Amino acid sequence: MDTPASADREGISRIERLCIDRGLKMTGQRRLIARVLSDSADHPDVEELYRRAHARDSHISIATVYRTVRLLEEKGILERRDFGGGRARYEPTEHGHHHHLIDVDTGKVIEFADERHEALAKEIAARLGFELVDHRLELFGRRFPEAKPAAPAPRRGGRARNGRDQA
Amino acid sequence: MDTPASADREGISRIERLCIDRGLKMTGQRRLIARVLSDSADHPDVEELYRRAHARDSHISIATVYRTVRLLEEKGILERRDFGGGRARYEPTEHGHHHHLIDVDTGKVIEFADERHEALAKEIAARLGFELVDHRLELFGRRFPEAKPAAPAPRRGGRARNGRDQA
DNA sequence: ATATCTGCAAATCATTTGCGAAACC
DNA sequence: GGTTTCGCAAATGATTTGCAGATAT
């Protein structure tokens, strides 16, 4: 038997632990969202988080997911990302400074870190007269040998439009 | 007398030239927006472009600015940027691959280019099994010696919220 | 002439928020 | 028990769009 990353034997998920440590009031829905987050290895948007949470307990509303995700971001437990596509995506704060490579065909996100890049960024900022507070690097790439299956341009109504489209 | 970058003696602005070259129908409002863009050295958002255009001719609507800016982006004349703050910002396509340093206190954007970074990005993508299609690097920094004047957190209603706030 | 563009207002979309009811410490 | 959170629906803010009239080629 393997215990999911979320809980050790019906216990407390990693994210829930962090919430408790910061003194957050743990409601059922927060516990649920924490568990969903702990089980997620990807970078879901709010809609997706809601879907996953709703699947486990349909008594949760998307407004609560929005509120919780924002709260956790303010508490430094989550980080908001914008990869284009008009929706914010979230990932747990943790693993040191890393960056993202977005597969332009599938929208999949791959994480990576690179020491040389960290040093270079700091150096560039200094050259311009700034102390580096933060930085982000996003690579958009295509899997090496392959013909892409010609993705249809979605162009859906309303707002939402950004550098590139998401999956 | 110096001629503004937009037009050589009542003539055609740089951006308008590009529009004509791509065979766009040149209406008065497009000509105006083209001129405003040609005169802008910064990275204005649509609201700001509308303000600048409206100042020259109040017979223009913001819907037209949105439509034009999108058209020019599709034609490869403009590039859309997202520096956080919930509004897209635009800059003319031109000067080779460059990146941005955002002053976290003022929201000002400084452009820079760095050969070593270009090479490094390509190398990282390759290491991960991808051909680099595009990439973006954004540095967030604070001017070197100085105490920041403690900016109040805006937190305005509605949507709009991103990594960092804009100026 | 005629296909395209513009203005206006209404529609969308992601996200936030007011309010009374329910839950946590 | 009092404060905080929740669900719902309505409000927001950025952006898009339908439609009738105005325009560029």
Side-chain angles (χ1 to χ4, degrees):
Chain A
M1 265 129 267
D2 55 343
T3 31
S6 68
D8 32 16
R9 202 58 180 150
E10 276 298 10
I12 288 172
S13 68
R14 199 185 72 83
I15 302 283
E16 181 178 357
R17 168 90 272 139
L18 294 172
C19 292
I20 294 172
D21 292 348
R22 324 260 156 141
L24 295 184
K25 187 187 278 191
M26 288 314 292
T27 68
Q29 22 283 78
R30 282 186 187 169
R31 212 182 323 274
L32 174 55
I33 295 169
R35 189 149 307 195
V36 167
L37 284 167
S38 296
D39 286 346
S40 299
D42 52 347
H43 304 68
D45 58 37
V46 172
E47 199 88 42
E48 178 62 26
L49 283 176
Y50 171 64
R51 224 170 288 129
R52 295 179 192 177
H54 193 272
R56 296 193 185 189
D57 176 357
S58 52
H59 290 339
I60 194 170
S61 90
I62 195 164
T64 297
V65 180
Y66 270 108
R67 273 192 277 237
T68 302
V69 117
R70 163 178 269 215
L71 176 68
L72 298 201
E73 190 205 356
E74 280 162 0
K75 292 299 183 184
I77 297 172
L78 288 185
E79 272 174 41
R80 173 193 307 253
R81 300 287 174 191
D82 172 27
F83 299 139
R87 310 142 101 106
R89 299 168 68 169
Y90 290 87
E91 73 177 324
T93 301
E94 62 187 311
H95 31 333
H97 215 21
H98 66 272
H99 300 283
H100 301 95
L101 185 156
I102 297 93
D103 184 323
V104 297
D105 292 320
T106 69
K108 271 241 177 66
V109 176
I110 295 169
E111 297 183 358
F112 66 88
D114 190 289
E115 268 316 320
R116 287 168 302 166
H117 176 260
E118 300 302 309
L120 185 53
K122 188 173 297 184
E123 183 194 319
I124 293 173
R127 188 212 310 155
L128 296 170
F130 284 77
E131 177 196 6
L132 191 61
V133 169
D134 190 11
H135 69 286
R136 55 197 201 204
L137 169 62
E138 276 144 36
L139 307 184
F140 295 85
R142 176 124 50 212
R143 203 112 230 171
F144 256 145
E146 174 198 328
K148 65 166 186 280
R155 181 104 324 162
R156 44 186 167 60
R159 66 174 299 288
R161 283 224 51 236
N162 256 320
R164 289 105 193 141
D165 280 312
Q166 162 197 18
Chain B
M1 270 127 268
D2 55 343
T3 32
S6 67
D8 33 17
R9 203 57 180 149
E10 278 298 11
I12 290 171
S13 68
R14 199 186 71 83
I15 302 284
E16 180 178 356
R17 170 88 270 138
L18 293 173
C19 293
I20 295 171
D21 290 349
R22 325 258 156 143
L24 295 184
K25 188 188 280 193
M26 287 315 291
T27 69
Q29 23 282 75
R30 284 187 185 169
R31 213 183 321 276
L32 174 54
I33 294 170
R35 189 149 307 194
V36 167
L37 283 168
S38 296
D39 287 346
S40 299
D42 51 349
H43 304 67
D45 57 37
V46 172
E47 198 87 44
E48 177 62 25
L49 284 176
Y50 171 64
R51 223 171 290 129
R52 294 179 193 176
H54 193 271
R56 297 192 184 189
D57 176 357
S58 53
H59 289 339
I60 194 170
S61 91
I62 195 165
T64 298
V65 180
Y66 271 107
R67 274 192 276 236
T68 303
V69 118
R70 163 178 270 217
L71 175 68
L72 298 200
E73 191 206 355
E74 280 163 359
K75 291 299 184 184
I77 296 173
L78 288 185
E79 271 173 43
R80 173 192 309 252
R81 299 287 175 191
D82 171 27
F83 299 139
R87 310 142 102 104
R89 298 168 69 170
Y90 290 86
E91 73 178 324
T93 302
E94 61 188 313
H95 31 331
H97 217 19
H98 66 272
H99 301 283
H100 300 95
L101 185 156
I102 297 94
D103 184 323
V104 295
D105 293 321
T106 69
K108 269 240 178 70
V109 176
I110 295 169
E111 297 182 359
F112 67 87
D114 190 289
E115 268 317 320
R116 288 167 302 166
H117 175 261
E118 300 303 310
L120 185 53
K122 189 173 299 186
E123 183 193 318
I124 293 173
R127 189 213 308 154
L128 296 171
F130 284 77
E131 177 196 4
L132 191 61
V133 169
D134 190 11
H135 69 285
R136 55 196 200 203
L137 168 63
E138 276 144 36
L139 307 183
F140 294 85
R142 177 123 50 211
R143 203 112 231 169
F144 256 144
E146 176 197 324
K148 65 164 185 279
R155 182 104 323 163
R156 44 186 168 60
R159 67 175 298 287
R161 283 222 52 235
N162 256 318
R164 290 106 193 141
D165 279 313
Q166 160 196 20

